[in-house]
Amino acid sequence: MKMKAFILTAIVIVSMVSCKKGGNPVSPYLFGKWEVHRVYDGFIIPPDSIYKPGNGNILQFNSDSTYDRYANNKLTAQGIYHIRKNGFKNNQSNYDEVYFDSDTSFKSLIMLNGDILTIKPLIPDIATTDYQKMQD
């Protein structure tokens, strides 16, 4: 009887340890509303620009892996975002990648630095965007 209890306990412990935790593999700080602060680099419109607070160009990341994108406070897109932890390697550095919906050909590097979120497309013609955190 003790042996059965021991084996059952061992199976439960091994199962708990070996199970991967589900959910989004990104910092919870990503979740919330981010407003465009700066657009730079790249060769396609828009040109390098600094945006004033309250411009209404917002990217909202939700904890259920959905997003909402606004231009001038009007909803322009929504769907599912995907984060690939360490999905891009450059020399000895690893970066997380983000892509939206099922478009895996248009991935961007995603970096959090304090209240600034940088999204840098892997296609060099497309501008990098810095977002300022608005709210959780």
Side-chain angles (χ1 to χ4, degrees):
M1 191 65 147
K2 286 184 180 183
M3 184 60 129
K4 285 183 183 179
F6 173 77
I7 291 172
L8 181 58
T9 302
I11 290 172
V12 169
I13 291 171
V14 168
S15 295
M16 288 174 56
V17 171
S18 65
C19 284
K20 263 189 159 177
K21 209 173 193 182
N24 207 322
V26 70
S27 168
Y29 190 70
L30 176 69
F31 308 140
K33 288 186 176 184
W34 299 86
E35 187 172 52
V36 171
H37 170 68
R38 180 176 157 214
V39 176
Y40 54 98
D41 295 339
F43 300 110
I44 297 177
I45 296 174
D48 291 0
S49 301
I50 301 246
Y51 290 76
K52 292 181 180 179
N55 61 67
N57 297 308
I58 298 166
L59 181 56
Q60 179 174 337
F61 288 98
N62 302 308
S63 61
D64 64 354
S65 297
T66 61
Y67 74 93
D68 298 302
R69 188 180 309 267
Y70 297 84
N72 299 316
N73 291 312
K74 294 181 182 167
L75 184 65
T76 59
Q78 60 186 166
I80 298 172
Y81 67 90
H82 307 272
I83 303 286
R84 289 186 55 217
K85 293 294 283 180
N86 301 315
F88 183 80
K89 185 173 183 174
N90 186 13
N91 297 323
Q92 298 301 318
S93 299
N94 291 322
Y95 299 92
D96 296 343
E97 291 178 329
V98 63
Y99 66 93
F100 296 92
D101 302 311
S102 59
D103 188 1
T104 59
S105 65
F106 191 74
K107 296 177 188 167
S108 298
L109 303 182
I110 185 169
M111 296 160 272
L112 280 168
N113 186 7
D115 285 347
I116 301 294
L117 167 67
T118 300
I119 297 183
K120 179 180 175 99
L122 292 173
I123 299 171
D125 289 345
I126 308 296
T128 297
T129 304
D130 287 345
Y131 293 85
Q132 177 78 43
K133 183 85 178 228
M134 293 177 62
Q135 70 183 50
D136 292 329

